[in-house]
Amino acid sequence: MTLKRITAYLAICVSAVLLLSRSARVYVQEDSESTGNVTLIGGPMVQLGNTDGLTSIVIAWRTREKSNSRVDYGESTSYSQRVIVHELSDHHAIVLRHLQPSKQYHYQVKSNDEVLASAVFQTGKTGDAPFRFAVFGDSGSGSPAQYTVARQIEAQAVDFIIHTGDVVYPKGADQDYREHFYLPYRNLLARIPFFPAIGNHDKITANGQPWLNNFILPGEERFYSFSYGNALFVALNSYDVLNSARWLEAQLSRSDKLWKFVFFHESPFSSGVPHPWYSAYKDRTGNAHERRGWVPLFVKYKVDIVFSGHDHMYTRLRRKDGVIYIVEGIGGSDFYKINKQAPEVEFTDNSEFGFGLAEVAGPTLVFQHVTASGAVLDSFTLTKQVPAAAPMR
């Protein structure tokens, strides 16, 4: 590790330790204030599930004890609406309905009549309304760097997050979700949707069942799609390429959205260095199965950007057949070596943790790779030609 990287990393760790201790104190204080018989251990979290995110949305949370579920919500803290589920559970999920697009709502979650948390969320945007999203992966270590990245994302006022996989290290075990996911992202989860792709570490425990249990995702869950504004987003499963490919073509072929984004864990193209002794990762140049099964569909249906992780670095490749491939794999775990002579690399870096920040405004997209300290290392702009409206007769 170079002196520059050591200095940057130490600075991140010092600031993040302060944030970590402060966040932990807040969470423990909430637990200690639970004078009844219910303890909040995860969430609340805004999820899409099978709602449209515009007129309905899901609020999910976890408690240590089994209890009933209630969400009070409304346009103010008077909470004019409420939903109650009397069935006892420690994984709570309630659908809020009768919402309006692009609007803020206050809510509080309750179990056994105890208020566990309160927050504000905003429903999704429609049409050509501008929106912002963050993208990162390989984050779930519980490290100070993970907290620092999370705080930097909070400062960007994004509308939602897509995650390129490895949400929880080392084995995606349920008992690690609190420390490696819920605590670092608690401020983000309570107000904006979080959309993960499944990573290789996420599926080690029970073939990813804890990952499935902790998220309320659309459709097939291991691979799914959703729309936001004028864009289609598709999450794929790097470990089921054949089935994902059949489904992927159906999603892309019937979408009329102006923008198309795809995200998953292992990249089809990368600038990683082969691992010297771990045989499963001797080839870090990309996933050959994805190159055969998915890449032709990305080209055929004019996908704009493909996001992935797995290799712990940031890499942007030159546009290949109209598609831009970006590896966002430095959300807070560690760094992998970069092959700086890898072909078609436009920009790559492994000196500081960070995330991607995309802003879509009608036919224009601005993308930046932002470090944990707030520096912009890479950026580009895409502008699309909007199809002309058919003449009126």
Side-chain angles (χ1 to χ4, degrees):
M1 183 178 286
T2 66
L3 179 60
K4 177 181 176 182
R5 284 178 59 185
I6 292 173
T7 303
Y9 185 75
L10 288 175
I12 291 172
C13 288
V14 170
S15 61
V17 164
L18 297 175
L19 288 166
L20 173 58
S21 60
R22 183 163 65 246
S23 298
R25 284 201 302 271
V26 171
Y27 203 90
V28 170
Q29 182 67 21
E30 280 193 359
D31 288 351
S32 64
E33 286 180 350
S34 181
T35 57
N37 60 354
V38 182
T39 304
L40 179 70
I41 62 171
M45 177 168 62
V46 179
Q47 291 279 266
L48 188 65
N50 288 312
T51 71
D52 61 9
L54 303 171
T55 62
S56 58
I57 208 160
V58 178
I59 301 297
W61 69 99
R62 293 187 58 179
T63 53
R64 182 167 296 138
E65 305 81 9
K66 288 184 179 295
S67 56
N68 64 14
S69 311
R70 172 172 168 170
V71 176
D72 300 337
Y73 65 105
E75 296 178 29
S76 70
T77 52
S78 63
Y79 305 121
S80 59
Q81 301 181 71
R82 63 188 52 85
V83 181
I84 302 173
V85 175
H86 294 288
E87 182 180 356
L88 303 184
S89 177
D90 51 10
H91 285 69
H92 308 264
I94 282 187
V95 178
L96 307 187
R97 305 184 191 278
H98 311 299
L99 308 175
Q100 298 179 38
S102 302
K103 198 159 197 173
Q104 283 193 342
Y105 288 88
H106 298 259
Y107 74 96
Q108 60 181 11
V109 299
K110 292 182 175 181
S111 291
N112 290 1
D113 291 325
E114 294 182 48
V115 177
L116 301 179
S118 59
V120 178
F121 71 87
Q122 179 169 309
T123 49
K125 298 175 180 177
T126 59
D128 287 335
F131 66 90
R132 310 178 96 196
F133 66 92
V135 52
F136 61 95
D138 303 273
S139 59
S141 62
S143 69
Q146 184 182 6
Y147 279 81
T148 307
V149 171
R151 297 297 88 83
Q152 189 60 241
I153 295 173
E154 289 175 28
Q156 305 300 329
V158 297
D159 295 292
F160 59 92
I161 289 169
I162 62 175
H163 192 285
T164 59
D166 285 355
V167 177
V168 168
Y169 288 106
K171 297 181 179 180
D174 189 66
Q175 63 265 27
D176 291 327
Y177 267 82
R178 183 174 183 269
E179 299 292 334
H180 293 185
F181 176 69
Y182 286 113
L183 282 177
Y185 304 126
R186 59 173 303 183
N187 295 334
L188 291 163
L189 298 175
R191 64 182 180 84
I192 62 173
F194 189 101
F195 298 101
I198 192 166
N200 58 302
H201 286 270
D202 298 320
K203 70 183 187 71
I204 290 175
T205 298
N207 194 31
Q209 192 59 48
W211 183 89
L212 292 170
N213 292 345
N214 280 280
F215 297 104
I216 313 294
L217 301 171
E220 298 290 337
E221 295 192 287
R222 290 180 188 265
F223 44 92
Y224 59 91
S225 68
F226 65 94
S227 295
Y228 197 99
N230 62 355
L232 172 71
F233 292 82
V234 180
L236 294 176
N237 180 2
S238 289
Y239 310 100
D240 191 5
V241 173
L242 181 60
N243 287 331
S244 297
R246 294 169 181 154
W247 175 87
L248 170 64
E249 182 156 27
Q251 300 301 303
L252 295 176
S253 65
R254 68 187 184 208
S255 175
D256 61 356
K257 293 295 184 179
L258 181 63
W259 295 95
K260 291 178 180 146
F261 306 103
V262 180
F263 62 104
F264 46 88
H265 189 53
E266 294 194 21
S267 177
F269 308 101
S270 184
S271 59
V273 172
H275 201 288
W277 55 266
Y278 190 14
S279 60
Y281 296 107
K282 283 185 176 179
D283 182 4
R284 304 302 298 203
T285 61
N287 187 306
H289 299 293
E290 296 172 352
R291 288 197 295 270
R292 290 191 297 268
W294 291 344
V295 168
L297 297 176
F298 299 155
V299 175
K300 179 179 179 180
Y301 294 103
K302 296 180 170 54
V303 170
D304 297 289
I305 304 178
V306 171
F307 297 104
S308 60
H310 193 53
D311 289 334
H312 297 188
M313 61 188 66
Y314 167 72
T315 298
R316 174 166 63 93
L317 299 175
R318 296 186 183 93
R319 188 177 291 189
K320 298 171 70 66
D321 298 316
V323 183
I324 295 175
Y325 295 88
I326 292 176
V327 178
E328 282 284 359
I330 46 177
S333 177
D334 55 13
F335 299 111
Y336 286 1
K337 291 182 179 181
I338 291 174
N339 176 11
K340 295 186 178 180
Q341 281 71 50
E344 301 179 316
V345 171
E346 191 75 28
F347 188 94
T348 188
D349 184 75
N350 64 347
S351 64
E352 190 175 351
F353 297 104
F355 60 97
L357 178 64
E359 182 163 6
V360 178
T364 301
L365 174 143
V366 177
F367 179 86
Q368 299 176 322
H369 176 73
V370 183
T371 70
S373 61
V376 176
L377 291 190
D378 183 36
S379 65
F380 64 88
T381 300
L382 296 178
T383 301
K384 303 190 76 168
Q385 185 173 2
V386 180
M392 297 183 63
R393 299 193 179 195

